[in-house]
Amino acid sequence: MKLRTFLTATAAASALLTLGLPAAHAQAPAGYKSEYRMSLVLGTAFPWGKGGEIWASKVREKTSGRINIKLYPGVSLIQGDQTREFSALRQGVIDMAIGSTINWSPQVKALNLFSLPFLFPDYAAVDAVTQGEVGKSIFQTLEKAGVVPLAWGENGYREISNSKHPIKSPADLKGLKIRVVGSPLFLDTFTALGANPTQMSWADAQPAMASGAVDGQENPVSVYTAAKLHTVAQKYVTMWGYINDPLVFVVNKEVWNSWTPADREAVRQAAIEAGKEEIAIARKGMVEPGKPLLKDLAANGVQVTELSAAERDAFAKATRPVFDKWKGQIGANLVDAAEKAIAARKQ
């Protein structure tokens, strides 16, 4: 009888395997969700969304399928309102996210560091800050704010485009309606430059450009290219590199605590690896000799303006009062530490 019982059990197990039932799900500890929700502003056509896809894939592989992630681009879990993403993440509406330091800066003041105009002269400066002690300090601040930060990614340097004329000096911005994200620092910066900053979500921005409701926008060239902004009258692009927009890979604290220590480490390592790959994708075409992405723009009939050091400095001087005003709100010590790290960077 014992042998027969054993054979029956074995046959049943074989049948389950034959049916293709996922063994990994059976191994998932109690308290794990069948699927975790990852919020993203942009989809997989953009480096940002691609980073989410890579992270999800690596997590699934490293946890043997115990943690499965579904991507929700267009911040669709919160009806497209990217400024609500951080709050929704803390509340558990979102399980994990790759978020923009800009979008989260209203809730976490320290993140405004990356939106200080003309602080980061090059990619080496960005890396010196995010990958050094300042980056660690910001992660500690995020942890205190109620989320678990794991790795840095990057949306990129935000360049300005418009439908009217080339922008080479602050005077060229006078009166232009420029779409900006919901950040008071952005409103201050563009007001100081004489523009008319208009706050709206990315979902609303493209129709607004197509209709002429706004004249221009500022975003990384990779976003401009993927979104085909030359088709919505954005014929003039100026490479002014006024701010860089790092991304942060994070997990909701309760979700994080529900995982085993081994799976937490797997998710962390997956985020670090995905972050490095995502940054490389975001910079592709801009770090190689000749900046191939700019040639792609020109091929679409876009007039690309590259500023001289003196021309860029004129924009920096015009926005210096904004820099000084916000330095105190962000934390003078943090800004000073970032400036020291930038000054000491290896190029």
Side-chain angles (χ1 to χ4, degrees):
M1 290 294 292
K2 287 182 180 178
L3 177 60
R4 187 177 299 166
T5 303
F6 172 76
L7 290 173
T8 303
T10 303
S14 299
L16 286 172
L17 290 172
T18 305
L19 287 169
L21 295 181
H25 281 307
Q27 296 168 7
Y32 276 43
K33 298 182 183 181
S34 60
E35 189 173 84
Y36 292 89
R37 298 161 298 183
M38 184 195 296
S39 179
L40 301 158
V41 170
L42 298 175
T44 53
F46 301 83
W48 192 334
K50 198 72 183 168
E53 186 177 64
I54 294 168
W55 188 19
S57 176
K58 286 180 179 289
V59 167
R60 189 164 52 247
E61 178 188 335
K62 290 178 184 290
T63 64
S64 302
R66 286 185 297 279
I67 298 175
N68 291 283
I69 300 165
K70 183 176 180 181
L71 275 53
Y72 288 84
V75 277
S76 55
L77 291 167
I78 42 172
Q79 294 75 51
D81 185 354
Q82 57 211 66
T83 59
R84 284 178 49 216
E85 188 176 52
F86 189 78
S87 298
L89 185 64
R90 283 194 299 196
Q91 293 160 2
V93 175
I94 295 167
D95 297 318
M96 52 212 305
I98 302 177
S100 161
T101 54
I102 298 168
N103 290 338
W104 295 355
S105 62
Q107 286 84 30
V108 185
K109 285 287 187 187
L111 295 179
N112 283 289
L113 173 73
F114 299 101
S115 298
L116 283 174
F118 302 98
L119 174 60
F120 296 95
D122 49 42
Y123 287 116
V126 178
D127 293 340
V129 171
T130 58
Q131 306 304 320
E133 292 304 313
V134 175
K136 290 177 186 174
S137 171
I138 289 172
F139 271 20
Q140 288 170 359
T141 301
L142 284 168
E143 282 187 39
K144 288 174 186 172
V147 300
V148 182
L150 303 177
W152 291 97
E154 184 169 284
N155 193 23
Y157 272 100
R158 298 178 77 94
E159 315 296 359
I160 192 162
S161 72
N162 82 102
S163 60
K164 300 297 187 185
H165 51 245
I167 295 172
K168 295 191 73 173
S169 71
D172 295 325
L173 270 163
K174 189 170 183 181
L176 287 184
K177 289 182 184 175
I178 305 295
R179 174 266 173 179
V180 296
V181 295
S183 161
L185 176 45
F186 277 63
L187 296 175
D188 284 356
T189 297
F190 281 90
T191 300
L193 290 168
N196 179 9
T198 305
Q199 182 182 319
M200 63 177 64
S201 71
W202 181 241
D204 294 334
Q206 287 163 279
M209 285 181 268
S211 69
V214 296
D215 301 314
Q217 61 85 53
E218 45 75 61
N219 255 305
V221 174
S222 62
V223 173
Y224 180 103
T225 305
K228 298 182 170 58
L229 294 188
H230 67 278
T231 65
V232 288
Q234 297 300 292
K235 296 294 186 183
Y236 304 95
V237 173
T238 294
M239 306 299 295
W240 65 341
Y242 85 117
I243 65 165
N244 189 284
D245 180 16
L247 305 175
V248 190
F249 289 61
V250 303
V251 177
N252 166 275
K253 193 165 278 186
E254 287 186 12
V255 168
W256 179 258
N257 290 335
S258 74
W259 292 334
T260 63
D263 280 346
R264 284 180 216 156
E265 188 54 31
V267 173
R268 185 190 304 277
Q269 287 305 316
I272 292 168
E273 291 172 17
K276 288 178 181 175
E277 290 182 34
E278 191 278 334
I279 289 171
I281 294 168
R283 295 179 182 181
K284 185 172 171 52
M286 296 302 296
V287 291
E288 300 86 350
K291 297 180 181 175
L293 260 186
L294 299 190
K295 292 179 180 175
D296 292 344
L297 294 186
N300 286 322
V302 176
Q303 185 173 330
V304 179
T305 299
E306 295 195 69
L307 300 181
S308 66
E311 287 169 335
R312 188 176 186 273
D313 194 47
F315 285 98
K317 284 178 179 173
T319 55
R320 188 68 202 188
V322 177
F323 187 110
D324 293 339
K325 170 190 169 182
W326 277 84
K327 179 176 180 177
Q329 295 189 39
I330 294 164
N333 290 342
L334 186 68
V335 177
D336 288 343
E339 289 183 310
K340 284 179 185 174
I342 291 166
R345 73 192 183 282
K346 293 179 180 178
Q347 291 176 279

